[in-house]
Amino acid sequence: MNYREVLRELRRLGNPADAAGMGRFGINTETALGIRIPELRRLAKSLGKNHSLAEELWRSGLHEARILAGMIDDPRQVTGAQMEQWAAAFNSWDLCDQVCLNLFDRTPDAWNKALEWSERDEEFVKRAGFALMACLAWHDKKATDERFAPFFPAIARAADDPRNFVKKAVNWALRQIGKRNASLCRQAIATGREIAKQPSRSAQWIARDALQELERTRDRQDYKMA
């Protein structure tokens, strides 16, 4: 399919009722067509990797076209400049997370951008930094524990950010890194306990929620080792 054919297919798959429902989950529906992620995945599989088509779909501005762009782009062809351009346009948590999950975490600049973006002020760029940390912990099976070490101070520094979409991503990053193995779980628990000492409500929530899961994870790991 070419660009125009893909747009026609996206409009055919769109469901106004689903678009309205997306708003109840905090999704920005200003340009949404109302297409469920499994439908987008099926379409992406039929299209295969296509960097130029991904760029055209991103420029369309349509919510689902941009999610699809992240699914079909070739991470080997994605530059740091493109990552900056796309991240600057993030306007919804699901778009941010899907692009990080399907594309950005496989790019050569992923580790650098995770740290860099975690210090940024823009809400969804900052979220993307922590989403990348979580996705790298999930997907990069060859990464050593040492690669994750700089993420823990970044997580602690951002724990007082009161913005909902940021604090949830900070929490996600801490939990996902900690679930990777026993060593990282211990480091994540130590970070969670340090965060618990911070007075802000967001830090208290992150620490309480993350530690509940991480301590269960630690106990399961200890049981397996016994």
Side-chain angles (χ1 to χ4, degrees):
M1 287 188 207
N2 61 32
Y3 169 67
R4 293 186 182 278
E5 290 169 334
V6 174
L7 280 189
R8 281 199 294 270
E9 179 64 8
L10 288 172
R11 294 189 187 281
R12 186 189 70 80
L13 292 170
N15 184 326
D18 284 343
M22 290 161 63
R24 293 194 290 273
F25 294 93
I27 294 171
N28 185 331
T29 60
E30 186 178 352
T31 64
L33 299 171
I35 307 173
R36 299 185 181 187
I37 292 297
E39 291 286 349
L40 290 174
R41 289 200 185 105
R42 280 191 285 270
L43 180 54
K45 187 175 180 180
S46 72
L47 293 171
K49 296 299 181 185
N50 190 324
H51 179 65
S52 60
L53 179 57
E55 289 187 316
E56 288 184 294
L57 289 170
W58 187 267
R59 287 194 294 270
S60 76
L62 293 173
H63 187 74
E64 287 87 350
R66 287 185 160 179
I67 292 175
L68 180 62
M71 292 177 175
I72 69 168
D73 206 346
D74 182 350
R76 296 169 299 180
Q77 295 182 260
V78 174
T79 64
Q82 179 186 333
M83 293 175 75
E84 288 291 342
Q85 182 184 28
W86 284 27
F90 288 159
N91 62 355
S92 188
W93 67 265
D94 64 318
L95 175 60
C96 169
D97 293 1
Q98 286 293 327
V99 172
C100 289
L101 182 68
N102 297 315
L103 178 64
F104 281 178
D105 72 333
R106 294 167 171 84
T107 63
D109 285 329
W111 290 84
N112 289 335
K113 292 299 182 187
L115 274 178
E116 181 184 336
W117 288 347
S118 73
E119 304 290 345
R120 294 273 285 274
D121 291 331
E122 308 97 311
E123 183 173 15
F124 288 110
V125 177
K126 191 166 188 175
R127 180 184 176 94
F130 294 102
L132 268 179
M133 293 180 192
C135 293
L136 287 165
W138 187 4
H139 288 151
D140 195 338
K141 304 302 183 185
K142 295 181 180 180
T144 63
D145 288 0
E146 288 72 22
R147 294 211 73 180
F148 294 94
F151 290 171
F152 290 117
I155 287 168
R157 284 194 298 272
D160 65 348
D161 193 312
R163 293 172 294 184
N164 192 49
F165 293 126
V166 174
K167 75 176 185 181
K168 286 190 173 182
V170 173
N171 174 275
W172 179 24
L174 183 60
R175 289 184 294 106
Q176 196 65 45
I177 296 169
K179 288 189 290 184
R180 188 174 168 92
N181 61 46
S183 175
L184 287 172
C185 186
R186 289 192 292 271
Q187 294 177 65
I189 288 172
T191 301
R193 289 173 177 167
E194 286 300 314
I195 290 171
K197 298 175 184 177
Q198 298 182 26
S200 71
R201 292 178 64 183
S202 60
Q204 291 294 311
W205 176 82
I206 289 167
R208 182 172 59 252
D209 185 77
L211 285 170
Q212 284 180 351
E213 182 170 353
L214 290 167
E215 287 169 354
R216 287 196 302 268
T217 299
R218 177 202 58 197
D219 293 343
R220 287 195 299 269
Q221 290 168 340
D222 289 345
Y223 175 78
K224 289 178 183 178
M225 294 171 64

